Amino acid sequence: MANRFQAPKGTRDLLPPETAAWAAVEAVARRVFGLYGYREIRTPIFEDTELFTRGVGAATDIVGKEMYTFADKGERSLTLRPENTAPVCRAFLEHGMDRLPQPVRLFYIGPQFRYERPQKGRYRQFHQIGAELVGGKGAESDVEVLLMLVRFLGELGFRDLRILINTVGDAASRRAYREALRTYLLPLREELSEDSRRRLDTNPLRILDTKSREEQELLVGAPRLESSLTPEAGTHFRQVLSALEAFRLSFQVEPRLVRGLDYYTNTVFEIVSEDLGAQNAICGGGAYEGLIEELGGSPTYGVGFAIGEDRLVEVLPADSLARRGAPRPVLVAPMGAVGEQVESGVRVVTRIVEDLREAGVAAIESGARGGRLFELAEKLGAPAIVFVGEDELVEGTLSVRNVATREQEKLPKRDATARLRQFFP
Ligand code: AMP
């Protein structure tokens, strides 16, 4: 009979051994973010819908097309979180973190949900590792999160990722630019796609993001945001770039980078990998000056990023330590009648296996014999087989066979355990 149930479209099961790489990546994130003083926050998987319509912006694709919104039995409109910056800022205000010493440094790891057309590297349930620095000072904050991001990716073994960076200006720059862009595009209105025509009225900056060749050509002569920047926004951006140069981070200024979320101001950035196909962005981020205020707080500078964990794991470098995963357990094989032997109500082998675990050796018992046992060890990736026969029990020894070298030694229990420990750094 065919399988009746499958994971819903756009979702997937993460299975071993891949889950070991996920756990390793997350462990590196926790360690590196900790070096910068960031601590973990876990917000609910669903929030009031209005948090996103206000926070992310009603004119964005996320809010307009991609949200999983439903009414619960109490008729509240709830939405599975499509991103985590708005929830973190909501929690920041709800728990009075604006009264803590500023800035507040937070990171999160978890699933996000967007109703997008699934393809390689794009899922409806995907996972983000992100950080937010809230209540800091402009350019300095931007540089801190970028340094942390690059250190994290560097520790995972990435060497040749590109940082694309741009400024979308402060609110005043954006207002001026929006008008300049609209004035330029209005005469071309009929040549724009339906989506872009709609954006012309709601969010003209997003048209710069277009993937269509024809539209990209129309945009060649468009005014640059640079020319609408206020002096403050210009200084902010130059400060960020010169700090990145001072730290020797390689980046590329990408004047067309605007990103899909409304809350960004000033610095925005993206990290792309040539090893991914069409969906090549690994990470997106930027500063947001208006978001906390939009959610009812006082004006607060925030900056953060979100890394797509699914894509990150997919392009982990071959030599990344995170690929290695945890070593597999050794196999403990009782010989002859030892398998049935009981002492003080417990099987003797069970006690031996548990003693190994106590000593930090991952171990499982196997009932296989002879050639089947070796085959099984190879299939499971067990680094060693431990034989326990009558002789071993009488002598207080264990026979340890190294699966890779095929060498076998009989050693006193303590020495055998020490030998096995070496497989579990
Ligand atoms: P965003 O929140 O849109 O700035 O996205 C940040 C990062 O999350 C992107 O660079 C992607 O790596 C990842 N991401 C966003 N949407 C998806 C998706 N539908 N499937 C997988 N990864 C995604």
Side-chain angles (χ1 to χ4, degrees):
M1 205 171 85
N3 277 347
R4 268 189 64 193
F5 295 110
Q6 294 180 336
K9 185 171 175 184
T11 72
R12 60 204 180 118
D13 300 307
L14 299 172
L15 306 173
E18 207 196 350
T19 39
W22 284 67
V25 161
E26 290 166 15
V28 175
R30 287 171 196 286
R31 188 168 56 72
V32 174
F33 296 172
L35 293 175
Y36 289 79
Y38 286 66
R39 294 189 295 176
E40 185 176 12
I41 180 167
R42 302 189 190 194
T43 60
I45 296 290
F46 54 82
E47 297 270 358
D48 284 338
T49 301
E50 206 190 335
L51 173 67
F52 301 113
T53 46
R54 265 175 172 272
V56 179
T60 59
D61 280 354
I62 292 183
V63 172
K65 306 185 196 164
E66 297 169 1
M67 295 209 298
Y68 278 92
T69 297
F70 59 98
D72 74 358
K73 291 192 201 305
E75 315 251 314
R76 293 172 200 87
S77 177
L78 299 171
T79 293
L80 298 185
R81 62 183 189 197
E83 62 93 58
N84 222 9
T85 300
V88 167
C89 290
R90 194 251 326 125
F92 176 86
L93 290 172
E94 182 171 340
H95 303 287
M97 289 189 239
D98 50 343
R99 294 192 300 273
L100 298 176
Q102 304 291 298
V104 173
R105 297 177 166 89
L106 298 166
F107 77 86
Y108 59 84
I109 299 176
Q112 315 292 338
F113 305 84
R114 293 182 197 172
Y115 191 80
E116 294 192 87
R117 201 163 45 77
Q119 64 180 79
K120 189 172 150 50
R122 189 158 79 193
Y123 310 98
R124 289 179 173 174
Q125 173 171 337
F126 59 100
H127 304 78
Q128 287 184 336
I129 299 179
E132 310 291 349
L133 173 54
V134 186
K137 284 202 218 87
E140 248 171 63
S141 299
D142 301 0
V143 174
E144 176 178 310
V145 296
L146 279 162
L147 286 173
M148 178 166 90
L149 177 59
V150 169
R151 183 176 303 282
F152 168 57
L153 295 171
E155 297 233 346
L156 288 178
F158 287 102
R159 294 287 165 263
D160 46 8
L161 293 172
R162 277 192 300 148
I163 305 180
L164 310 180
I165 192 165
N166 190 25
T167 176
V168 292
D170 49 19
S173 323
R174 276 156 71 108
R175 253 193 317 275
Y177 184 57
R178 201 170 296 153
E179 281 323 303
L181 193 61
R182 207 199 307 264
T183 309
Y184 171 83
L185 286 171
L186 266 178
L188 306 170
R189 191 186 169 92
E190 293 316 307
E191 294 168 64
L192 296 176
S193 68
E194 203 185 307
D195 263 355
S196 294
R197 255 179 273 157
R198 194 168 37 78
R199 286 177 179 150
L200 194 54
D201 302 320
T202 55
N203 193 359
L205 263 66
R206 284 280 284 135
I207 300 176
L208 299 179
D209 238 6
T210 180
K211 299 279 180 290
S212 131
R213 266 280 158 78
E214 295 83 58
E215 289 196 327
Q216 287 175 356
E217 274 169 27
L218 290 179
L219 287 165
V220 170
R224 293 284 190 100
L225 187 124
E226 251 172 80
S227 46
S228 305
L229 283 187
T230 59
E232 300 76 44
T235 307
H236 181 127
F237 194 45
R238 277 191 301 278
Q239 282 174 344
V240 173
L241 297 187
S242 56
L244 296 186
E245 271 163 15
F247 282 105
R248 298 183 187 285
L249 301 197
S250 61
F251 62 86
Q252 185 180 323
V253 176
E254 184 62 62
R256 295 259 296 275
L257 180 71
V258 293
R259 314 223 354 95
L261 295 82
D262 262 5
Y263 49 63
Y264 288 117
T265 50
N266 280 308
T267 316
V268 291
F269 52 87
E270 221 164 74
I271 293 191
V272 295
S273 160
E274 308 303 337
D275 298 335
L276 288 165
Q279 303 300 317
N280 66 352
I282 287 194
C283 171
Y288 42 90
E289 273 148 301
L291 178 56
I292 299 257
E293 203 178 353
E294 184 67 40
L295 301 181
S298 47
T300 306
Y301 192 88
V303 53
F305 60 76
I307 300 168
E309 193 176 3
D310 304 74
R311 295 182 195 172
L312 186 71
V313 170
E314 203 170 305
V315 293
L316 272 182
D319 61 351
S320 177
L321 292 181
R323 270 197 188 281
R324 220 170 273 174
R328 307 292 301 137
V330 304
L331 298 187
V332 179
M335 309 306 290
V338 171
E340 282 81 57
Q341 214 161 310
V342 173
E343 235 177 67
S344 331
V346 177
R347 286 174 62 239
V348 173
V349 210
T350 305
R351 171 110 39 212
I352 290 174
V353 178
E354 190 59 16
D355 286 346
L356 286 174
R357 295 166 180 156
E358 168 88 16
V361 175
I364 53 175
E365 184 185 342
S366 173
R369 291 281 176 278
R372 296 254 328 274
L373 182 59
F374 297 113
E375 257 172 52
L376 187 67
E378 282 182 348
K379 247 188 213 159
L380 294 177
I385 301 171
V386 180
F387 294 101
V388 191
E390 298 287 356
D391 291 352
E392 281 85 354
L393 280 190
V394 172
E395 299 160 3
T397 58
L398 295 173
S399 290
V400 175
R401 182 175 173 114
N402 182 316
V403 172
T405 64
R406 307 194 166 210
E407 276 167 296
Q408 185 166 326
E409 280 178 289
K410 194 196 264 182
L411 297 166
K413 229 180 192 169
R414 288 183 65 157
D415 298 345
T417 305
R419 182 68 49 90
L420 292 167
R421 271 288 294 140
Q422 292 169 357
F423 293 113
F424 302 90

